[in-house]
Amino acid sequence: MSGSKNAALPEMAAALLTSHPVTLRNVPRVTDTAVMAEILNGLGGRVQGQGVVTLEMDGARDHHVKDELGRRMRATILMLGALLGRFGHARVPRPGGDDIGARRIEQHLRGLRQMGARITETDAEIVAEADRLRGNRIVFDLPTVTGTENIVLAAVLAEGRTEVFNAAREPHVQDLCVLLEKMGARIEGIGTERLVVDGVRELGGAEHTVIADYLEAGTYAIAAAAVGGELHIDCSRPEDLPVVLLKLEQAGAHVETGDGWFRVGRKPSTTLRPIDMSTWTFPGFPTDLQAQYMALMTQADGEAVISEYVHENRFQHVHELAKMGAGISVQGRIHAVVHGPCRLHGTDVTIPDIRSGAALVIAAMCAEGESLLRSAWHVDRGYEDMAGKLASVGARIESVSVEAPSAGSNHTYE
Ligand code: EPU
């Protein structure tokens, strides 16, 4: 498995917090990490390498993330906590709503304000200032991944103790904390919903291996169950995917787990059972695997209800799956019913976002005939060489062209 995109992004931002080099291994070669490197270089830092990436941010002087780069990736919001921690100033583009929901950030801003930041917002950007941030007691009304990461990034150099209640516990949030500890930060409660950060005066450099991408592993596990066949997935902790592996087993796949690996298989002759699923924050079923699971359920023998409780608008793959012959009815913004089994046929579809792209690839592998998936660049934002990896285990898939939208395109991506 490749390294986790959602761990690598905040970890790259964390390099801003020290004038010493930070070396990250296992950084996935995906568009989003390349955009993050461009942002850090644009601030005056030096980011070198692919896979093994060395970040030297001692020369960084600028605290303004340019709008054009910011719009290419929502994760630039992570720069807010890191820039405030480093410079006491931050100017970042507003991430804005996008295809998968409102993507609100008021909890990030409330937490930073509680720590003493003065923040002004316009439709286009967020400007924050602080002399030195002060620790505080921050309560999230629902766990936010980048919100938790932003507060932790801001808190490690703040004065005094910051407590985050109802913190996100995703493996990538934990991995960011582990890196920060290696840099000299004092963090307790990693992996729990209460994080306690005692600010230190300065942080040093570190070397760190980014955790394996459990979302990539989960995507391929779901693909194996959908298509029929067997995949052995190495360097991925089964404990990062407890509910996904449970659902696959309930649906009729064979699941075997070990230390740092798992295997998922299904004989094509075994009927898949329809199993309802609701997304939830970690350790629940990840929203980032909901679309792929929906593609799997099109192959199940009966109706499965899929409920999306994390993002507000994450059913855009339904329309494209329907073009392939999937019978799915969406009920409001939260529930979708998949009326399996669906006989899928290859056709021409357009990928609306990263995870929908993965779902459409799974559906295309289950479909009779050839499928053309347009806007495949979305997939490259989060998956390293998906076509190559799937082809290496027998899928007939090839990457024809992955042209990205023009730089001036007025769109914010998740
Ligand atoms: N929310 C609020 N207020 C806030 C923050 C969040 O209402 O201040 C809401 C959001 O609108 C959303 C929900 O809470 O409905 C969860 O949002 P969260 O903040 O946790 O999401 P995120 O930090 O913006 C990260 C991942 C997403 C992943 C979500 C949920 C990164 C860079 N992005 O986004 O990943 O879906 O957590 O796990 O880590 C992807 O990789 O495809 C992707 C979209």
Side-chain angles (χ1 to χ4, degrees):
M1 285 298 102
S2 300
S4 157
K5 160 183 87 81
N6 289 348
L9 293 172
E11 289 171 2
M12 291 174 80
L16 254 180
L17 298 172
T18 175
S19 50
H20 301 275
V22 171
T23 300
L24 296 175
R25 303 182 196 285
N26 205 27
V27 174
R29 293 171 176 82
V30 295
T31 320
D32 278 13
T33 55
V35 172
M36 186 55 106
E38 235 181 292
I39 289 172
L40 294 170
N41 282 329
L43 298 175
R46 204 147 61 107
V47 181
Q48 288 175 303
Q50 284 195 331
V52 179
V53 176
T54 303
L55 304 103
E56 293 166 282
M57 299 306 296
D58 52 326
R61 299 282 175 264
D62 201 353
H63 62 271
H64 178 192
V65 177
K66 302 288 179 294
D67 189 39
E68 189 275 311
L69 283 171
R71 265 192 283 121
R72 281 169 59 191
M73 182 178 68
R74 187 194 138 87
T76 44
I77 191 64
L78 287 165
M79 300 302 293
L80 195 57
L83 284 167
L84 265 180
R86 166 74 183 262
F87 297 114
H89 296 280
R91 190 170 158 199
V92 302
R94 175 177 280 288
D98 69 12
D99 293 343
I100 68 175
R103 312 299 296 273
R104 291 159 53 177
I105 55 161
E106 81 288 350
Q107 299 202 81
H108 306 220
L109 303 187
R110 193 180 61 216
L112 292 170
R113 282 191 173 111
Q114 280 181 268
M115 295 174 75
R118 298 175 295 280
I119 301 179
T120 48
E121 299 176 68
T122 67
D123 286 347
E125 62 181 12
I126 295 156
V127 180
E129 279 181 353
D131 303 323
R132 186 175 176 209
L133 293 168
R134 290 181 313 277
N136 206 332
R137 185 175 188 276
I138 291 163
V139 181
F140 286 144
D141 52 354
L142 91 176
T144 150
V145 169
T146 49
T148 302
E149 292 166 346
N150 243 334
I151 298 300
V152 170
L153 286 166
V156 286
L157 289 176
E159 195 181 317
R161 172 169 284 197
T162 304
E163 283 178 273
V164 186
F165 292 86
N166 207 10
R169 294 183 282 162
E170 270 67 6
H172 31 280
V173 179
Q174 298 179 36
D175 200 50
L176 168 67
C177 293
V178 171
L179 165 67
L180 288 167
E181 278 194 318
K182 289 182 186 169
M183 292 166 69
R186 290 172 52 203
I187 307 176
E188 276 172 41
I190 297 174
T192 73
E193 64 280 15
R194 177 172 171 264
L195 286 172
V196 180
V197 183
D198 284 302
V200 294
R201 269 273 159 207
E202 59 176 25
L203 294 174
E207 288 195 13
H208 180 71
T209 302
V210 178
I211 49 160
D213 192 337
Y214 70 105
L215 299 170
E216 185 194 27
T219 297
Y220 295 139
I222 293 172
V227 178
E230 179 157 305
L231 275 187
H232 178 96
I233 300 180
D234 252 330
C235 304
S236 193
R237 299 179 303 202
E239 57 271 29
D240 289 345
L241 287 164
V243 184
V244 176
L245 296 180
L246 173 75
K247 293 282 162 187
L248 291 178
E249 225 166 6
Q250 289 175 333
H254 164 77
V255 177
E256 206 185 322
T257 60
D259 188 13
W261 61 268
F262 59 92
R263 192 175 295 145
V264 173
R266 180 176 71 87
K267 288 200 185 84
S269 55
T270 318
T271 307
L272 270 172
R273 288 187 283 272
I275 303 291
D276 296 350
M277 181 280 281
S278 303
T279 64
W280 202 238
T281 53
F282 188 81
F285 193 105
T287 171
D288 293 336
L289 293 174
Q290 178 257 109
Q292 299 88 316
Y293 187 82
M294 190 179 285
L296 169 72
M297 284 297 112
T298 64
Q299 303 305 294
D301 190 18
E303 274 186 3
V305 181
I306 295 184
S307 308
E308 172 58 61
Y309 288 112
V310 177
H311 291 297
E312 303 174 329
N313 175 29
R314 207 172 201 185
F315 285 137
Q316 55 283 79
H317 40 280
V318 168
H319 183 66
E320 301 301 309
L321 287 169
K323 289 185 191 163
M324 290 179 153
I328 303 169
S329 31
V330 174
Q331 300 174 348
R333 299 168 98 176
I334 294 180
H335 307 292
V337 183
V338 185
H339 308 278
C342 313
R343 208 180 163 127
L344 301 182
H345 52 81
T347 187
D348 195 332
V349 292
T350 302
I351 294 176
D353 65 89
I354 306 178
R355 309 298 171 186
S356 299
L360 290 166
V361 168
I362 293 171
M365 290 192 293
C366 295
E368 261 172 46
E370 196 173 87
S371 303
L372 178 67
L373 280 62
R374 298 183 188 275
S375 295
W377 56 269
H378 275 294
V379 174
D380 280 12
R381 290 193 41 225
Y383 289 91
E384 186 175 296
D385 191 21
M386 178 185 271
K389 286 184 183 179
L390 287 173
S392 76
V393 291
R396 289 196 302 280
I397 177 167
E398 98 184 275
S399 183
V400 188
S401 135
V402 284
E403 78 292 348
S406 64
S409 143
N410 189 25
H411 198 107
T412 309
Y413 306 109
E414 86 287 349

